[in-house]
Amino acid sequence: MGRNIRKLSLLFAFVAIVAGMYSLCNRVGGYVTPKENSVEVVKKVDEVSTTTPTTVLTTVPTTKTKVNKTNKETVPTTSSGKNYPVIEKQFGEDGITYDNFCVKNYTDFSLDIATELKRGLPFKIEKNHQVQVLIFHTHTCESYLKSDTGYYPSDYYPRTTNNKENVTAVGDEIEKQLKKAGIGVIHDKTKHDYPSYNGGYDRSYNTIQKYMEKYKGIKVVLDIHRDAIGDDTTGKVKPTFKYKGKKASQIMIMTGYQYEGGGDFPFWRDNLDFAIKLQQTAETMYPGLTRPLNFGEYTYNLNVCNGSLLIEFGTDVNTIDEVKRSGKMVGKALAKVLQNN
């Protein structure tokens, strides 16, 4: 009898140890699913450039989600109660400096900015009010903070289908200024990154082709995004500058290059010239608006025409008011470039 009792005691002890290990694993989050926006670790998950700097966000796990009945997107509900700092800064000179602006060249192309400016633009906007500019968003749900508090909560989720809070609001501001200048524009608000983020560039490419087939006069194609810099450990970076006493987000214009193995990109140099001209004009009109122009080995659908650009407005910790203010400025600068060509 004593021997059997000892055997039973050892068996119970073993079961208790296993149960404790299982409980500990679950308490420390060993099986927690990460947030959807962890794909922003590579930012452009559909096509990653190895030579272009990548801003990294740490994955913040969540243990519970709910569905927002208003916009039907998954949003986090748990919070550790922590607030992380917003690191506000103005990006200045970096890379090649010319006149009042800068270009960061991540390619093997020997860039002479003066030569590129002399080349001018390969297209001309007609004064006929027909659609000649397409604005769209590959990552339509990229969003911003609602207010300028100097911090963001640990459960902050910088994506939404609410067009008043995501990058489509920036596109609206650009659209308004172009229309005021008499330039025909169409703004597509298709959510290419919802419900699935992956494959966004394939879907936005189809959208571009649809519009270019319908509106034969389209010469300019703009993909409006927002950036993300920093992480949840040290804080996220918010690029801003002041114009007439008000804060606005800085922008980063991106233009690609025909690199080995990078596919067919016959218009890369025309796009580069367009990017440089807009960079110079925007910085002249609104000193401090631009971060250094990013010229790198990527495509991101910029090979659809010779007037195609990708522009990042602020980061996920800029406020929606700051980026809308910048959208208005870029719209005015773009109108000036197009009218004076």
Side-chain angles (χ1 to χ4, degrees), residues 11-66:
L11 177 61
F12 289 148
F14 176 77
V15 171
I17 291 171
V18 171
M21 291 176 65
Y22 178 81
S23 175
L24 177 62
C25 186
N26 279 284
R27 286 200 303 274
V28 299
Y31 299 102
V32 172
T33 302
K35 276 186 180 178
E36 180 188 352
N37 76 316
S38 63
V39 292
E40 292 220 27
V41 167
V42 293
K43 186 61 177 73
K44 303 291 183 288
V45 71
D46 303 272
E47 182 183 29
V48 182
S49 167
T50 56
T51 56
T52 302
T54 304
T55 56
V56 180
L57 300 182
T58 57
T59 300
V60 182
T62 60
T63 56
K64 182 180 178 183
T65 60
K66 70 176 181 179

Side-chain angles (χ1 to χ4, degrees), residues 114-148:
T115 298
E116 301 307 318
L117 285 171
K118 289 178 183 177
R119 280 168 47 88
L121 302 185
F123 56 83
K124 188 174 182 64
I125 296 297
E126 305 295 334
K127 297 180 180 180
N128 55 17
H129 292 276
Q130 293 183 3
V131 174
Q132 297 176 77
V133 178
L134 168 63
I135 301 171
F136 74 101
H137 314 272
T138 294
H139 297 150
T140 320
C141 297
E142 292 177 327
S143 63
Y144 303 92
L145 288 173
K146 295 179 182 179
S147 57
D148 185 13

